[in-house]
Amino acid sequence: SFTGENFASRMKALLPAHVFKMIEDIGAIADSEKVAVYLVGGMVRDLLLGLPNVDLDLVVEGNGIAFGTKLAKELTGRIYCHEKFGTANLFLNNGLKIDIATARTEYYEFPAALPTVENGSLKQDLYRRDFTINAMAIGLNHHNWGQLIDFFCGCSDLRRKLIRILYNLSFVEDPTRIIRSIRFEKRYDFTIEEDTLRFAQKAIEQNFLERVSANRLKEEFVLILKEKNMIAIFKRLKEMDIWSRILPELELTPGILHFLEHVTEDSSQLTSLLGPVDPGLLTLLLLCHQADEKRVAANIERFQWSKKYNLVLMKTAHEKKKIHAMLQGKDVPISKIDLLFRDLSNETILYFYIVSPDPEQKKIINYLRLRKERIPVVSGKDLKMLGIKPGPVYREILEMLRTARLDGIVQSRAEEISLIKNYLTKEEML
Ligand code: ATP
């Protein structure tokens, strides 16, 4: 049992020394500023689970923004305040992040609206949170240092591995919590508590998710992309009839699930040839596999992923047919593959690799290998030394060399130079 246990020693054991020291400092600053400060949310939950987590979430009984400003000064970092909500985000110079909230109550004017803020206490602040396991606090002031504060039996739910909302209207007030419940369920291998699940199902049936802004849905989805059990979360979203409500454009087919499940083994051969790949972007590319350009465009329009994501998703959808046709062709010169592939992101190339049958996969690997090996040795500088007048012709020559190299037409410096000379005499004759 956790009850009565003081968590100071547990924090010390689990957290990196500099994080623990900082929490001690925060407690001391809270005392000197005469405000009550609590560690809340995910870090408390993970401490109890014995998992390291360094994202600090603080609740201040008093002026959260003033306290945040003081912390930013003492711990050295930048602060971003949201006066209207009494919240602040601290980005410390040591790389750590601290979220600060002012203890408050919230009421919702209508479902899925932004919360309206009033003053209140810790208990009320915790009550408006998503689940009991996320609604515990640890005292940081001298008098309650390390003490667990658990108004809603979060500890007991943690032990019983249950995701439970705090009040019946929770999902109505904030339907994104439905998505969050699944994320935590699959992350910790917990179960959504029976009543909570029923309330979720009811809110889903009554189309409450449709009231959430695209941006908030996107934010929750991006969090899922970072989860280790992402695929299990996807499956559960589909099973609970949520998927089509949040991503109507991108159907989650068994085929796509199969690709997602085999990403790691499929890509192992490619990673050394390709370089870094953003797994979130790769997942999105795979999710777009069955969608035509129009659907991908509609999804991008609604969600506005990052600039890079939008570009890559659109380009891939646009070139899909052409690339598959090219890969299926017989005796396609490497330079032809290069023409289409040279501007593709690593994620797109890996995507095509994953969804292609074996012979095409071999072509992609072969291309990537040759692209690394067959690089012209003659450079712009050399062209100058050869006495060629700088101008657009440089680009033409270098491009020609790249093509000739890739296709194995030239294999040495001497051959490159004779190719250039040949090319120039032809030019002159025209
Ligand atoms: P993670 O480990 O994924 O960061 P977390 O619990 O820290 O999980 P955050 O999204 O960082 O999650 O949120 C911090 C805390 O804020 C949560 O623990 C929870 O108490 C509260 N919270 C976040 N989102 C909501 C929400 N939609 N409704 C109510 N409370 C929320």
Side-chain angles (χ1 to χ4, degrees):
S1 157
F2 301 117
T3 348
E5 188 183 332
N6 190 289
F7 281 84
S9 54
R10 200 183 261 257
M11 282 198 279
K12 191 165 184 177
L14 259 173
L15 298 174
H18 71 291
V19 178
F20 181 73
K21 164 84 168 44
M22 197 175 69
I23 294 174
E24 282 185 318
D25 291 345
I26 292 171
I29 297 168
D31 283 331
S32 69
E33 295 293 301
K34 297 190 170 53
V35 288
V37 174
Y38 305 87
L39 192 65
V40 298
M43 192 183 216
V44 177
R45 174 198 69 218
D46 286 347
L47 272 172
L48 268 63
L49 288 170
L51 303 169
N53 180 337
V54 295
D55 288 335
L56 262 74
D57 241 318
L58 302 178
V59 166
V60 177
E61 279 180 325
N63 187 335
I65 289 185
F67 186 70
T69 310
K70 178 81 183 166
L71 279 191
K73 216 160 114 195
E74 298 278 323
L75 306 174
T76 64
R78 283 167 302 143
I79 186 168
Y80 297 90
C81 300
H82 313 276
E83 298 280 347
K84 202 172 142 197
F85 301 102
T87 61
N89 306 109
L90 247 74
F91 297 88
L92 300 182
N93 296 347
N94 63 11
L96 292 173
K97 213 186 133 219
I98 305 179
D99 288 339
I100 299 169
T102 301
R104 63 197 179 171
T105 59
E106 271 178 17
Y107 61 89
Y108 289 73
E109 282 164 4
F110 53 88
L114 278 174
T116 312
V117 179
E118 283 174 0
N119 281 322
S121 68
L122 174 70
K123 185 170 180 181
Q124 277 159 321
D125 181 279
L126 295 173
Y127 186 64
R128 72 178 176 87
R129 286 173 186 263
D130 48 5
F131 309 111
T132 58
I133 59 166
N134 288 341
M136 293 178 278
I138 290 177
L140 297 187
N141 287 83
H142 183 69
H143 73 95
N144 62 2
W145 169 248
Q147 202 176 301
L148 182 73
I149 298 157
D150 180 14
F151 296 114
F152 311 109
C153 304
C155 223
S156 145
D157 283 340
L158 210 53
R159 248 183 273 115
R160 291 154 65 191
K161 298 177 168 242
L162 290 176
I163 311 289
R164 187 198 305 269
I165 44 174
L166 287 127
Y167 51 97
N168 295 353
L169 283 176
S170 185
F171 289 135
V172 172
E173 286 183 353
D174 183 354
T176 61
R177 292 173 185 163
I178 300 169
I179 305 169
R180 294 176 65 85
S181 71
I182 295 172
R183 187 159 60 85
F184 291 121
E185 177 187 53
K186 294 304 171 198
R187 181 198 288 177
Y188 298 116
D189 197 18
F190 280 20
T191 310
I192 300 175
E193 180 272 332
E194 213 176 293
D195 288 329
T196 299
L197 185 64
R198 254 206 322 275
F199 284 119
Q201 284 161 337
K202 216 165 138 192
I204 297 162
E205 275 166 32
Q206 295 180 344
N207 300 329
F208 275 94
L209 278 164
E210 280 80 343
R211 303 187 186 198
V212 181
S213 73
N215 191 50
R216 292 204 61 205
L217 291 179
K218 177 184 79 176
E219 281 172 8
E220 282 304 327
F221 195 80
V222 167
L223 292 176
I224 295 172
L225 290 177
K226 294 177 186 154
E227 291 286 332
K228 244 180 88 201
N229 286 332
M230 174 188 79
I231 298 169
I233 298 172
F234 283 179
K235 287 180 176 166
R236 185 82 155 126
L237 287 173
K238 191 170 170 179
E239 183 185 283
M240 287 178 66
D241 198 20
I242 296 170
W243 185 275
S244 60
R245 295 166 194 271
I246 60 180
L247 279 171
E249 308 92 355
L250 311 180
E251 202 190 342
L252 186 68
T253 63
I256 290 176
L257 278 168
H258 179 86
F259 290 142
L260 287 169
E261 275 159 353
H262 293 84
V263 161
T264 344
E265 55 187 279
D266 277 352
S267 49
S268 62
Q269 282 191 288
L270 228 63
T271 35
S272 62
L273 287 168
L274 256 190
V277 164
D278 177 337
L281 181 50
L282 179 62
T283 298
L284 283 176
L285 284 167
L286 287 165
L287 291 177
C288 290
H289 183 57
Q290 296 287 343
D292 60 16
E293 252 185 282
K294 238 170 97 183
R295 280 174 164 248
V296 174
N299 174 259
I300 289 173
E301 173 70 25
R302 213 164 51 83
F303 270 15
Q304 297 294 335
W305 308 100
S306 69
K307 211 171 183 179
K308 174 177 179 193
Y309 278 33
N310 292 348
L311 275 171
V312 169
L313 292 173
M314 234 21 256
K315 185 173 167 72
T316 308
H318 185 69
E319 312 255 292
K320 216 178 262 184
K321 273 202 190 121
K322 224 180 354 181
I323 286 176
H324 279 303
M326 191 262 306
L327 286 171
Q328 280 160 15
K330 258 188 91 176
D331 304 323
V332 184
I334 298 295
S335 63
K336 274 265 159 45
I337 301 181
D338 185 56
L339 231 41
L340 284 180
F341 268 58
R342 63 202 288 177
D343 295 327
L344 297 182
S345 69
N346 289 348
E347 291 83 2
T348 304
I349 295 178
L350 186 49
Y351 158 74
F352 279 114
Y353 180 82
I354 290 169
V355 301
S356 296
D358 193 55
E360 277 137 73
Q361 288 192 331
K362 290 210 170 82
K363 285 185 197 171
I364 294 175
I365 289 210
N366 185 47
Y367 160 70
L368 290 175
R369 233 180 244 135
L370 296 180
R371 171 167 99 171
K372 275 196 154 165
E373 287 166 12
R374 297 183 173 175
I375 299 168
V377 285
V378 169
S379 66
K381 231 192 212 157
D382 295 319
L383 298 183
K384 217 167 170 184
M385 297 226 290
L386 286 169
I388 303 166
K389 220 173 107 211
V393 74
Y394 272 49
R395 253 192 68 164
E396 281 166 37
I397 292 173
L398 293 174
E399 184 60 33
M400 176 193 68
L401 286 180
R402 181 181 168 110
T403 303
R405 264 285 175 179
L406 279 172
D407 293 340
I409 292 163
V410 293
Q411 288 170 2
S412 66
R413 188 183 182 84
E415 285 176 9
E416 283 183 20
I417 290 176
S418 79
L419 187 73
I420 294 168
K421 289 189 169 152
N422 222 323
Y423 177 79
L424 290 173
T425 33
K426 261 197 224 148
E427 287 274 285
E428 276 164 20
M429 291 200 300
L430 286 174

